[in-house]
């Protein structure tokens, strides 16, 4: 019995050692397919390639200088100052607007101009109303220039050496030009470039009224470029 147990123990020991050797061979690629060693080689190759790649470093942020900070601060202050200026201007305008809840009758009464004061009857300088008024004024002067040209073309020189024409003849010639003849005649008389008798001219009734140019008409600047008459 003792010999039997000794032999069995030796067999078990020999079988366990052979199993450990097979496992070791398999891990080292000693098996039939050799996958163990191949996996180790691939892993080592990947580690080597990763170590060989250069590490890309992010560019270091540029330090902010004191001048940049100061410039931004000045710009911010300028924007705030501009905004406050516009807000205060709008607030003052609302004091003079009767439809605004901020309307101040006392402040509005003080700002009202009276006849004879500078700026009376005129729009505020720089406003859109002032721009429209200047454009209208220029248009009137251009229309007066057209009127002077037609008078010189249709009329003849009088005793004083200036052109003159009857209202009837001028009215007929002006039919295809403009319907503002009478208005432009009265406006031109205010500019002292022509003269005529009476306050208003009517077709038929005022046909024989003589319209005479004055010396100031020769120096009128807003003359039309077409058919200039001298």
């Amino acid at each position: 019995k003792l010999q039997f147990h000794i032999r069995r123990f030796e067999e078990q020991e020999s079988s366990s050692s052979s199993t450990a050797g097979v496992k070791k061979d398999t891990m080292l690629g000693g098996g039939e397919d050799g996958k163990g060693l191949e996996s180790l080689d691939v892993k080592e190759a990947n580690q080597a390639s990763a170590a060989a790649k250069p590490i890309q470093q992010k560019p270091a942020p540029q330090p902010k200088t004191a001048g940049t900070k100061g410039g931004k601060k000045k710009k911010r202050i300028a924007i705030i100052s501009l905004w406050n200026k516009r807000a205060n201007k709008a607030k003052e305008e609302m004091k003079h607007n009767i439809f605004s809840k901020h309307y101040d009758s006392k402040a509005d009464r003080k700002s009202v101009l009276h006849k004879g004061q500078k700026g009376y009857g005129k729009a505020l300088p720089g406003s859109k109303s002032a721009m429209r008024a200047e454009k209208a004024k220029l248009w009137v002067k251009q229309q007066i220039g057209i009127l002077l040209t037609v008078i010189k073309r249709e009329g003849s020189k009088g005793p004083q050496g200036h052109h003159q024409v009857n209202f009837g003849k001028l009215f007929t010639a002006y039919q295809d030009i403009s319907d503002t003849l009478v208005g432009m005649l009265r406006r031109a008389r205010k500019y002292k470039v022509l003269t005529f008798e009476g306050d208003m001219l009517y077709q038929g009734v005022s046909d024989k009224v003589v319209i005479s140019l004055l010396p100031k008409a020769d120096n009128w600047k807003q003359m039309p470029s077409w058919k200039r008459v001298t």
Side-chain angles (χ1 to χ4, degrees):
K1 287 183 179 179
L2 180 61
Q3 291 178 357
F4 174 75
H5 287 296
I6 292 170
R7 194 180 301 110
R8 188 175 179 181
F9 177 76
E10 291 176 353
E11 290 177 358
Q12 290 178 355
E13 188 177 4
S14 61
S15 62
S16 62
S17 62
S18 61
T19 304
V22 170
K23 290 182 179 180
K24 186 176 180 181
D25 293 341
T26 304
M27 291 176 63
L28 296 175
E32 293 180 357
D33 52 357
K35 291 182 179 179
L37 183 60
E38 183 179 356
S39 61
L40 288 175
D41 293 340
V42 172
K43 187 175 181 180
E44 291 178 358
N46 291 336
Q47 291 178 354
S49 62
K53 288 182 179 180
I55 300 174
Q56 296 181 355
Q57 296 181 355
K58 294 182 179 180
Q62 296 181 356
K64 296 182 179 180
T65 59
T68 306
K69 292 182 179 179
K72 289 183 177 179
K73 187 176 181 180
K74 288 181 180 179
K75 187 176 181 181
R76 192 183 303 112
I77 293 173
I79 293 174
I80 294 172
S81 177
L82 179 62
W83 178 261
N84 291 336
K85 185 178 180 180
R86 291 184 177 179
N88 294 332
K89 183 179 179 181
K91 189 175 180 181
E92 288 296 325
E93 290 176 353
M94 289 299 102
K95 289 182 180 180
H96 306 288
N97 187 356
I98 195 171
F99 300 103
S100 174
K101 64 180 181 180
H102 302 291
Y103 175 71
D104 188 353
S105 58
K106 294 182 179 180
D108 189 37
R109 199 177 297 113
K110 291 180 181 178
S111 63
V112 173
L113 297 175
H114 300 282
K115 192 173 182 179
Q117 292 181 340
K118 185 178 180 181
Y120 175 78
K122 296 183 179 180
L124 293 175
S127 62
K128 291 184 178 180
S129 298
M131 293 173 62
R132 288 191 290 266
E134 287 296 326
K135 189 179 292 186
K137 189 176 180 181
L138 178 61
W139 179 83
V140 169
K141 289 183 177 181
Q142 291 173 350
Q143 294 299 315
I144 292 175
I146 295 173
L147 175 61
L148 298 179
T149 302
V150 176
I151 291 175
K152 290 179 179 180
R153 186 183 65 193
E154 299 294 331
S156 58
K157 289 187 177 182
Q160 297 180 357
H162 301 292
H163 288 81
Q164 57 185 20
V165 65
N166 294 335
F167 176 72
K169 186 177 181 181
L170 181 63
F171 188 89
T172 303
Y174 230 81
Q175 288 180 351
D176 298 331
I177 299 174
S178 176
D179 57 352
T180 60
L181 173 60
V182 177
M184 289 300 112
L185 283 170
R186 297 184 66 186
R187 182 66 64 176
R189 187 165 64 175
K190 286 187 177 181
Y191 281 103
K192 298 180 180 180
V193 294
L194 57 80
T195 184
F196 56 87
E197 293 182 359
D199 184 48
M200 184 65 70
L201 300 174
Y202 300 95
Q203 183 185 10
V205 179
S206 307
D207 284 351
K208 294 183 180 180
V209 175
V210 178
I211 300 169
S212 302
L213 298 184
L214 297 176
K216 193 176 179 180
D218 297 333
N219 299 324
W220 192 256
K221 295 181 180 180
Q222 285 77 15
M223 297 293 288
S225 57
W226 49 271
K227 296 182 181 180
R228 185 181 296 273
V229 180
T230 54

